[in-house]
Amino acid sequence: MASSSLVVPLVLWNRLPSSPVTTVVYKEGHVATGLKDGFIWIYRCIVDEQGVLQLQHKVLCIGHKSAITALTITEGQTDGCVGNNYVLISASEDGEVMKWCLLDGRCLVCIPKAFDGMIRSIKPLATCAETPKFLLCSGFADEITILNSSSLEIVRVWAGHNDWVACTPFYDSDARQIKLLSSNFNGFLKIWAFDEIKQTIIKEYDNVGILQAQGDKILELINNPYDIGVIMAITNNFIIIFTIRRGKMHNMQSIRILKNGAFWTSGAFLTKNMILVCTQAGDAHLYSITCTPRKYPSENGHLPMNPGFIPRRSSLPDLKKTNKEKLSIPGHAKPKLVESIYSSNNEFLDLTKIIVFATPSVEGKTSRWYMISFRNQLEGTSFSWKLLSTTAQEYPICERHVQESSWGSETYLSDIWPLRNYQSPKITVITMVNDDQIAFGYENGEICIMPISTALTMDSQDTSSLNTIKTLKGHFGKITCMYTPSFTHSDHKHFVSGGEDCSVRIWSLENGKRLTSFTYHSMPVTHLFEPPAETCGRTRGCIISIAKDNSLSIISLDEMSCLYNFGGYSHHICKIQWRIPENLLLLYYGDESTHIWQTNTSELYQIVKGSTAREMIVDKAWQTSTVSPHDSLSYANNKVKALSSINLQNNGVSDCQIFMINVKQLINDIYHYHVSQIGSRVNTPVVNTEDFDEKPDKLSKIFSWSTNGASQQCITSSSPSISETETQAIDASSVQILVSALMTWGVDNSLDRVCSEKLGLKKPSNQISFGLRGFNGNLSVAAPSNDHREFWKISQTMTAAHLLSIVGLTRPFLLMKGLEKYTSDIITHYGTMLPEFVGTKFHHSSLAFLSKYFQDPAEDIRHSARTLFSAALTSMPPIELQSIIDYWKQFLPAVTSQDVYAQQYMAKSTILLGMIGADHPKFLSKKVSENTALSLILILHEDPKLAHRLAALELCGKGFSTWEPYILYFLYSFLSI
């Protein structure tokens, strides 16, 4: 609540962020693809009335630092909103696991090292009728990790296996519970029991059977959700189908690879007796498998079945262990090939990824099975789709010849990107220069410096007709990094660039002229940054440049000369320790060696390795800089918090620039620098920034910027002192362009005229989109769109964050402009009229998100959140509102305890339902009103957070007529005791 930050990512797109697809999943009209660079794309998957399938870019999830190796989608509510019923679980090569909201890609939680190895499979540990409580992570390791599906905390590390192990949960009808089936690479099967309460694993059957795969390694085990105990095992050359019953393997059927040189990569159960298996080249084969006939004694017909533990579409009853099952296994049990889909394109760089899904049956239309394949090629990633034949979907399968067909035409993902593809020159680096300027580096060696307003309101590739743009020419080959120094002894403002031509060039920001250049590197320059502020001597006021060969130069901006040049090394530089008073510079490399250089002679004094090297570099008596390795994602390293910058890059070309707008700090700065000066708001206290999640420093600006170019970053381990230079007033034009970019254009012509003609706002470029900041600062950003309505159709949380930013900034911005009379027009449009303009797919604001700001210390944010909360309540469909109430009432302190749910969740539910009951008591049932009233009392007396107690106190007074009967009854009962 009072401690909730409000940071909105504003994205300036340059091109489609593309990388090879490593894994893919589907659920409820959404396709999620994991990429090799660690990003995740979520697409809308639309099937029109003619049965044609379309993909649309929706959101990009940014957080993982290495390739995505596994994805899965499970049931999981996040805020009680209708349609927000699924979460995406992802794992990367470094063992990190994250959970994302499937609708908007918002990161919900992450755990950095969940697995000691590479996760290849994440499976929910639950029956089909339950929401999973645990996740089963397995892969290239001799252990399995069990995670809590809600918090992703490690519940159990299941070690002790003698080889890499595959595992799947399956339903044991004898024990009427979920068991775990494991197989090592050699095919030895074992059955285990997991106790959810004690969180222990017990081996039940040690010798279940051996999968006969002729020496092939068992890569994956898949449980059939439509038939009890039926399992699929995948090897390179065989697909093995078998049944687990009473601790033994029965009815094993195998499918050999059909082509020489091909191998199996994936498989899925479509129905009880149909499977789809795929090869690395994209060939897909549909098989009918023989179900094991089961005959049960007639005396078992009366046995009750627990539907919560029986997988859907299963007709098999549960039997007591004392009853003997009679299995009749036909000798000719062999899978029958029904349909084959072949790929005509054999040019691919990686394994083809295929998913299969069924469309829902609506209005009498039968369900249809669709397949989508993703193929990584030299020109980029393409996809194609195929509708399985009608005959193949019939049950039972008809006796007829095998149907053969090929995939449909391939479409490159870049072809469905909403922005047009640019040819040349391509942008390779984007970085902020100062508060109101941004620099674009191009592959032809040119650098364009332009105002922020120009970059956000025009096509950043079309720069020929603007006289406000400075063009710097001098590099040969593409620009690789750019930097704006923050400290020099002189009064001149400099700009530094590095290029593929191995040179470092210094420019004058006043006139754009090149002052000098240095070519002390033999490979392209990758990093530019400054030494820590506390360093003394000649290094103060210098620029550090690092090249691809890990050579390092120190360049003095005052002397315009290279002071030191240290040779390259085979491993990248991790840390730099500055021992200037001792005339020493320590370089710590990726192989855990420290090279000690003498700065007075520029000679290598000594090389230290191992523990001694590590101990030297962590000595806190000296300033140490950390240099990031080459990465596709670089964060700004500034002390300024109102707006920071992130740059995404792939293969030396910039994908986009993300501006992180701290809305609260921006409002605070507007009042501090402008409103109080012009007298529009007299004696208004500055927002108490001590209640913020991100506490701004006393040097507060609108802009902070990424000076590390596309891939460079330097972080000083000890906190540098803040410059004593007096803070300059915010440029009003910078505030104006940010407000322009946040506004929605093209949905209400009358409001567009008011914004452009009366308020001086400019319509932003269609290269602009928005996003959300989630857990641990991880981001989700929406794909660009030519229609601004699409941003309101993503999710309830996206709508709430965007609305709160716009409405919260409206009043201070108009006060700054002296145009307060238009405040009501804008708030009315966004608060009440927007759903009508957007249409039926509009997502109403998340009440859970807005309730966090009920007691926010920023008056404009607090007032806006309450206004939007009330507006959402009155316009929200009753079924959606009831879904939210039903979800949050289970967390009330009056009906649960901290042993079950966290205190933060209990307080959040109390505040949310308290806000509903205070203003609209008719929406709450009598029982929910009673539990909410008692929960408010409990929050007042027991919650350790002052913000929660203040919110409960205000809600008690605001809705006293609603809570009075229940509070009096509670007090009467308490006094009677």
Side-chain angles (χ1 to χ4, degrees):
M1 262 151 290
S3 60
S4 297
S5 61
L6 182 59
V7 179
V8 178
L10 181 67
V11 190
L12 175 61
W13 292 97
N14 176 38
R15 66 165 196 168
L16 169 66
S18 60
S19 182
V21 173
T22 57
T23 182
V24 58
V25 290
Y26 170 90
K27 195 70 175 183
E28 294 292 326
H30 290 83
V31 173
T33 59
L35 307 183
K36 192 173 182 179
D37 58 9
F39 299 153
I40 300 171
W41 265 115
I42 298 178
Y43 299 86
R44 290 186 180 94
C45 184
I46 302 171
V47 178
D48 61 22
E49 295 181 354
Q50 287 74 36
V52 178
L53 185 145
Q54 298 177 352
L55 291 184
Q56 297 176 356
H57 291 88
K58 187 177 183 182
V59 291
L60 177 67
C61 305
I62 304 170
H64 284 286
K65 303 173 183 64
S66 57
I68 305 298
T69 57
L71 289 175
T72 191
I73 298 175
T74 66
E75 292 187 13
Q77 261 287 1
T78 57
D79 53 11
C81 297
V82 173
N84 193 5
N85 302 321
Y86 295 97
V87 293
L88 174 68
I89 311 295
S90 62
S92 53
E93 277 185 353
D94 55 6
E96 186 175 38
V97 178
M98 295 187 180
K99 181 165 72 172
W100 315 78
C101 174
L102 184 61
L103 281 185
D104 54 34
R106 174 170 42 98
C107 183
L108 304 173
V109 66
C110 69
I111 178 171
K113 192 65 178 177
F115 193 76
D116 189 13
M118 183 187 296
I119 298 176
R120 301 296 298 178
S121 174
I122 305 175
K123 297 175 181 175
L125 187 53
T127 60
C128 295
E130 290 182 325
T131 299
K133 297 180 181 179
F134 303 97
L135 299 172
L136 203 64
C137 301
S138 60
F140 296 159
D142 59 356
E143 65 183 34
I144 297 171
T145 301
I146 299 178
L147 305 177
N148 183 298
S149 62
S150 177
S151 63
L152 295 187
E153 295 178 350
I154 297 178
V155 173
R156 181 83 179 182
V157 177
W158 180 10
H161 304 277
N162 58 5
D163 200 349
W164 289 355
V165 59
C167 184
T168 185
F170 73 99
Y171 182 71
D172 186 343
S173 59
D174 295 321
R176 297 195 176 193
Q177 66 180 20
I178 294 293
K179 297 294 180 63
L180 304 177
L181 178 68
S182 69
S183 171
N184 61 11
F185 266 22
N186 295 324
F188 289 92
L189 298 174
K190 299 178 183 180
I191 295 179
W192 311 74
F194 175 62
D195 190 322
E196 295 185 359
I197 299 176
K198 297 180 181 179
Q199 298 178 353
T200 57
I201 297 176
I202 302 173
K203 185 193 299 181
E204 291 198 343
Y205 297 96
D206 190 30
N207 188 19
V208 177
I210 301 177
L211 296 176
Q212 302 296 331
Q214 299 184 12
D216 268 9
K217 304 297 184 182
I218 306 300
L219 304 177
E220 178 69 298
L221 294 176
I222 301 173
N223 176 52
N224 187 348
Y226 308 103
D227 200 359
I228 293 177
V230 179
I231 309 294
M232 178 194 303
I234 300 177
T235 74
N236 282 337
N237 294 299
F238 292 93
I239 299 293
I240 305 172
I241 311 295
F242 58 94
T243 303
I244 296 295
R245 187 66 175 165
R246 301 190 187 282
K248 293 295 181 180
M249 180 179 65
H250 301 281
N251 194 27
M252 187 174 73
Q253 311 167 51
S254 63
I255 304 172
R256 183 185 288 271
I257 194 71
L258 301 180
K259 285 184 178 180
N260 292 330
F263 57 89
W264 300 118
T265 57
S266 61
F269 289 95
L270 303 189
T271 64
K272 182 178 179 179
N273 65 343
M274 289 175 57
I275 64 171
L276 184 74
V277 290
C278 307
T279 69
Q280 91 286 2
D283 298 338
H285 304 281
L286 187 67
Y287 281 88
S288 170
I289 60 175
T290 303
C291 295
T292 304
R294 292 174 169 88
K295 297 181 180 180
Y296 303 98
S298 58
E299 61 267 20
N300 291 320
H302 68 280
L303 293 178
M305 292 186 295
N306 185 348
F309 288 88
I310 302 297
R312 298 188 183 103
R313 290 206 253 178
S314 174
S315 58
L316 302 180
D318 290 330
L319 302 180
K320 296 181 179 179
K321 292 184 179 180
T322 57
N323 295 323
K324 185 176 180 180
E325 178 184 356
K326 300 178 182 179
L327 296 177
S328 175
I329 305 175
H332 61 276
K334 184 179 180 181
K336 177 189 174 184
L337 181 61
V338 177
E339 182 176 1
S340 294
I341 299 94
Y342 291 102
S343 174
S344 58
N345 185 356
N346 294 321
E347 297 180 1
F348 55 90
L349 301 178
D350 199 356
L351 306 181
T352 302
K353 309 300 182 298
I354 298 177
I355 55 170
V356 59
F357 65 92
T359 57
S361 300
V362 292
E363 298 180 356
K365 295 182 179 179
T366 58
S367 176
R368 294 181 292 183
W369 287 97
Y370 282 84
M371 295 189 302
I372 307 177
S373 68
F374 290 85
R375 189 183 301 271
N376 300 317
Q377 304 184 64
L378 288 173
E379 298 83 3
T381 301
S382 64
F383 75 94
S384 57
W385 61 275
K386 178 68 177 178
L387 175 65
L388 290 179
S389 66
T390 305
T391 304
Q393 299 175 62
E394 293 178 356
Y395 178 83
I397 302 297
C398 298
E399 293 289 339
R400 56 181 297 175
H401 66 278
V402 177
Q403 300 187 38
E404 294 186 357
S405 59
S406 59
W407 286 96
S409 60
E410 293 186 352
T411 303
Y412 283 94
L413 293 176
S414 57
D415 293 337
I416 64 172
W417 183 242
L419 301 181
R420 63 185 177 90
N421 292 322
Y422 300 111
Q423 300 301 318
S424 59
K426 294 180 179 178
I427 298 175
T428 57
V429 186
I430 305 175
T431 188
M432 296 292 295
V433 178
N434 49 38
D435 284 356
D436 56 359
Q437 288 184 310
I438 188 170
F440 294 85
Y442 296 87
E443 66 175 357
N444 64 355
E446 293 185 359
I447 300 172
C448 290
I449 300 177
M450 66 184 70
I452 293 289
S453 58
T454 301
L456 297 183
T457 57
M458 63 161 283
D459 189 335
S460 60
Q461 294 277 346
D462 183 15
T463 61
S464 57
S465 59
L466 295 175
N467 54 13
T468 58
I469 298 176
K470 296 177 183 176
T471 301
L472 314 181
K473 298 181 180 181
H475 281 282
F476 300 95
K478 68 181 180 181
I479 306 298
T480 56
C481 51
M482 299 182 294
Y483 189 84
T484 304
S486 59
F487 177 85
T488 56
H489 292 289
S490 64
D491 295 331
H492 298 289
K493 296 181 179 180
H494 298 131
F495 183 74
V496 187
S497 62
E500 198 175 37
D501 58 1
C502 312
S503 69
V504 176
R505 299 176 185 265
I506 302 176
W507 314 80
S508 170
L509 274 181
E510 283 86 357
N511 52 31
K513 293 183 178 180
R514 179 171 61 89
L515 302 179
T516 187
S517 62
F518 302 91
T519 54
Y520 288 93
H521 297 292
S522 58
M523 295 191 73
V525 183
T526 59
H527 294 71
L528 291 170
F529 57 93
E530 291 178 272
E534 287 83 354
T535 57
C536 56
R538 298 180 69 190
T539 59
R540 185 170 175 83
C542 289
I543 288 293
I544 312 301
S545 65
I546 299 178
K548 195 173 182 179
D549 62 352
N550 302 305
S551 60
L552 183 146
S553 297
I554 302 179
I555 300 171
S556 172
L557 295 178
D558 295 323
E559 301 177 18
M560 287 296 171
S561 63
C562 181
L563 303 183
Y564 309 104
N565 186 48
F566 306 106
Y569 191 61
S570 57
H571 294 269
H572 70 275
I573 300 176
C574 299
K575 295 179 182 294
I576 305 172
Q577 191 173 94
W578 306 87
R579 300 192 179 190
I580 303 303
E582 295 182 352
N583 293 322
L584 296 176
L585 187 70
L586 277 61
L587 303 181
Y588 182 72
Y589 292 91
D591 62 346
E592 296 187 343
S593 66
T594 296
H595 293 205
I596 304 175
W597 291 84
Q598 291 182 329
T599 56
N600 54 351
T601 61
S602 298
E603 295 180 353
L604 180 61
Y605 173 71
Q606 187 179 2
I607 298 178
V608 181
K609 298 184 177 181
S611 58
T612 304
R614 292 192 295 269
E615 291 173 2
M616 292 179 64
I617 207 66
V618 297
D619 188 350
K620 295 184 179 180
W622 305 98
Q623 291 291 316
T624 303
S625 301
T626 300
V627 182
S628 71
H630 191 81
D631 201 344
S632 60
L633 177 64
S634 61
Y635 292 84
N637 179 39
N638 310 85
K639 302 301 291 182
V640 186
K641 296 296 182 181
L643 189 143
S644 56
S645 176
I646 303 171
N647 185 257
L648 270 63
Q649 184 204 50
N650 185 30
N651 294 327
V653 178
S654 179
D655 295 328
C656 65
Q657 188 81 2
I658 306 176
F659 303 96
M660 304 295 294
I661 305 174
N662 188 328
V663 177
K664 288 185 181 181
Q665 188 59 44
L666 182 56
I667 292 173
N668 181 38
D669 292 348
I670 291 174
Y671 284 133
H672 181 70
Y673 292 116
H674 291 279
V675 176
S676 59
Q677 295 178 5
I678 63 177
S680 298
R681 181 172 177 173
V682 182
N683 298 326
T684 300
V686 177
V687 178
N688 180 14
T689 58
E690 294 182 358
D691 291 327
F692 291 167
D693 276 346
E694 300 180 4
K695 299 176 182 178
D697 298 286
K698 62 182 181 180
L699 180 59
S700 177
K701 300 180 183 179
I702 288 295
F703 290 106
S704 64
W705 50 88
S706 174
T707 53
N708 45 21
S711 62
Q712 60 202 23
Q713 183 179 8
C714 177
I715 302 174
T716 305
S717 57
S718 60
S719 300
S721 60
I722 300 174
S723 174
E724 298 299 330
T725 306
E726 291 189 9
T727 305
Q728 300 296 319
I730 296 174
D731 184 3
S733 62
S734 299
V735 181
Q736 184 163 308
I737 194 58
L738 284 180
V739 175
S740 298
L742 288 173
M743 290 289 184
T744 298
W745 298 79
V747 299
D748 184 357
N749 294 331
S750 60
L751 183 66
D752 288 352
R753 287 193 296 271
V754 170
C755 291
S756 58
E757 297 174 5
K758 305 297 183 181
L759 308 184
L761 302 180
K762 296 181 180 180
K763 182 180 179 180
S765 164
N766 61 356
Q767 296 173 253
I768 298 295
S769 73
F770 312 94
L772 293 171
R773 190 182 70 161
F775 186 87
N776 205 29
N778 297 316
L779 304 177
S780 66
V781 293
S785 175
N786 295 322
D787 186 358
H788 280 206
R789 294 179 179 89
E790 294 300 318
F791 299 130
W792 303 105
K793 302 176 182 179
I794 296 177
S795 75
Q796 296 86 351
T797 303
M798 183 78 80
T799 296
H802 197 177
L803 276 178
L804 187 57
S805 302
I806 294 174
V807 177
L809 277 170
T810 294
R811 185 165 180 261
F813 170 71
L814 294 180
L815 282 173
M816 181 186 74
K817 299 279 291 185
L819 300 170
E820 300 92 326
K821 61 181 179 180
Y822 296 107
T823 302
S824 61
D825 294 339
I826 295 178
I827 294 180
T828 300
H829 169 83
Y830 286 101
T832 60
M833 300 174 62
L834 189 61
E836 179 182 350
F837 286 112
V838 174
T840 55
K841 294 184 179 181
F842 176 80
H843 280 285
H844 293 271
S845 294
S846 168
L847 300 183
F849 182 89
L850 295 175
S851 67
K852 296 191 302 181
Y853 302 93
F854 177 73
Q855 280 288 334
D856 198 273
E859 180 184 342
D860 293 286
I861 296 297
R862 181 175 66 252
H863 180 74
S864 299
R866 296 184 182 194
T867 300
L868 293 172
F869 189 97
S870 180
L873 273 181
T874 56
S875 60
M876 187 177 295
I879 187 173
E880 184 171 348
L881 178 58
Q882 190 59 48
S883 173
I884 295 172
I885 294 173
D886 291 342
Y887 174 76
W888 285 104
K889 69 182 183 182
Q890 62 183 319
F891 304 115
L892 289 172
V895 297
T896 187
S897 64
Q898 292 190 42
D899 297 334
V900 181
Y901 298 109
Q903 177 69 35
Q904 184 74 18
Y905 238 59
M906 296 164 63
K908 189 175 182 178
S909 65
T910 304
I911 302 305
L912 188 150
L913 295 176
M915 293 175 67
I916 296 176
D919 290 333
H920 302 277
K922 62 180 180 180
F923 293 145
L924 300 182
S925 66
K926 182 178 179 182
K927 189 61 178 178
V928 175
S929 297
E930 178 183 355
N931 291 333
T932 304
L934 299 182
S935 297
L936 288 170
I937 299 299
L938 292 174
I939 293 291
L940 279 172
H941 286 272
E942 299 178 3
D943 198 293
K945 283 195 173 183
L946 176 61
H948 294 165
R949 297 199 302 272
L950 289 175
L953 180 62
E954 181 176 347
L955 288 172
C956 282
K958 189 176 182 181
F960 185 73
S961 59
T962 303
W963 323 124
E964 181 181 12
Y966 311 109
I967 294 176
L968 293 178
Y969 177 78
F970 172 77
L971 293 176
Y972 176 77
S973 301
F974 178 77
L975 293 175
S976 299
I977 296 174

